[in-house]
Amino acid sequence: MISVFQTYLKLGFFHIFNQQAYDHLVFLLALCAPYVLADWRRVVALVTSFTVGHSLTLALATLGFVHYNAQVIETLIPITILLTCVLNIRQASREESRRLDRNSLRDRPIVLALPNLLAAVFGLIHGLGFSSYLRELLGRQSRPVLELLAFNLGVELGQLLIVLLILLAGFTVLQVFGVGRRDWILATSSAAAGIAVVLLLGV
């Protein structure tokens, strides 16, 4: 059992860095773009909301309780990225007059209903995307609870590493190279939106 758990833990972890999951990486970039290391509580709240969403649908779809159209999910995933980028760009534009600095988001409540709700809803969609890959690995196993748990945990560990790297990259760009926070938000969100458009056109 331990070897099976470890195997699927590694599969989940490395799947995040697989070419098949780069749309998930782009979404995480968009999700974290407005924040820096000082905002880690806010980021944890958002990522936790996203995790709850995709863990739920990953489990339900893998266990056969939920059925979906793969083409629809492939279309919806880049749309979630685009919507997140649009929200980021609107936020940066609103904050321009107030000179957005590294403390402006940190002083807000840790849990804001709308952003966390959106992250959870978008997570539901991304979880379905993960499930298609996991079902291919599992083959005909009808109730792969251990494998599902290990894979999901591996995905989360990989996701946390990626979020940390994004925040560290933002810290380096803002603090070491002196780039304005608004410019960082606009640049990363625009890049993520561009990739999402390419994904959407390729569906």
Side-chain angles (χ1 to χ4, degrees):
M1 290 181 62
I2 295 177
S3 61
V4 171
F5 186 90
Q6 290 177 339
T7 297
Y8 279 87
L9 182 72
K10 292 178 181 178
L11 286 171
F13 181 85
F14 288 110
H15 178 60
I16 289 292
F17 302 95
N18 190 294
Q19 185 178 359
Q20 291 179 304
Y22 76 94
D23 51 354
H24 188 70
L25 296 179
V26 176
F27 179 80
L28 290 175
L29 174 62
L31 190 67
C32 297
Y35 307 101
V36 292
L37 281 173
D39 306 316
W40 66 269
R41 292 182 183 84
R42 186 74 187 93
V43 176
V44 167
L46 275 175
V47 172
T48 299
S49 298
F50 180 65
T51 295
V52 169
H54 78 66
S55 297
L56 178 62
T57 49
L58 174 60
L60 291 176
T62 302
L63 295 174
F65 294 111
V66 171
H67 302 280
Y68 61 93
N69 186 307
Q71 187 75 16
V72 172
I73 298 302
E74 289 180 9
T75 302
L76 288 177
I77 287 177
I79 290 176
T80 66
I81 299 171
L82 279 174
L83 290 175
T84 304
C85 293
V86 168
L87 291 174
N88 291 346
I89 293 170
R90 285 185 59 190
Q91 173 182 295
S93 300
R94 273 199 311 268
E95 296 286 356
E96 180 180 10
S97 61
R98 289 182 282 175
R99 291 184 174 275
L100 180 63
D101 62 21
R102 68 193 183 105
N103 295 317
S104 61
L105 289 174
R106 185 176 59 186
D107 296 333
R108 297 178 184 178
I110 293 177
V111 177
L112 299 177
L114 182 57
N116 284 279
L117 177 61
L118 286 176
V121 171
F122 292 165
L124 294 173
I125 296 170
H126 283 253
L128 294 174
F130 279 130
S131 68
S132 59
Y133 172 75
L134 181 55
R135 285 203 312 274
E136 290 178 6
L137 292 175
L138 293 170
R140 296 184 178 181
Q141 295 188 55
S142 58
R143 290 293 182 268
V145 177
L146 180 64
E147 293 86 347
L148 174 61
L149 176 62
F151 183 85
N152 199 45
L153 181 58
V155 167
E156 296 320 310
L157 291 175
Q159 181 174 276
L160 290 173
L161 176 59
I162 290 163
V163 168
L164 176 61
L165 292 175
I166 293 171
L167 292 178
L168 288 175
F171 177 83
T172 301
V173 170
L174 296 174
Q175 301 300 321
V176 178
F177 295 101
V179 174
R181 186 166 175 182
R182 175 177 175 272
D183 293 336
W184 167 252
I185 296 173
L186 293 176
T188 52
S189 297
S190 297
I195 297 173
V197 170
V198 173
L199 289 172
L200 198 55
L201 293 176
V203 174

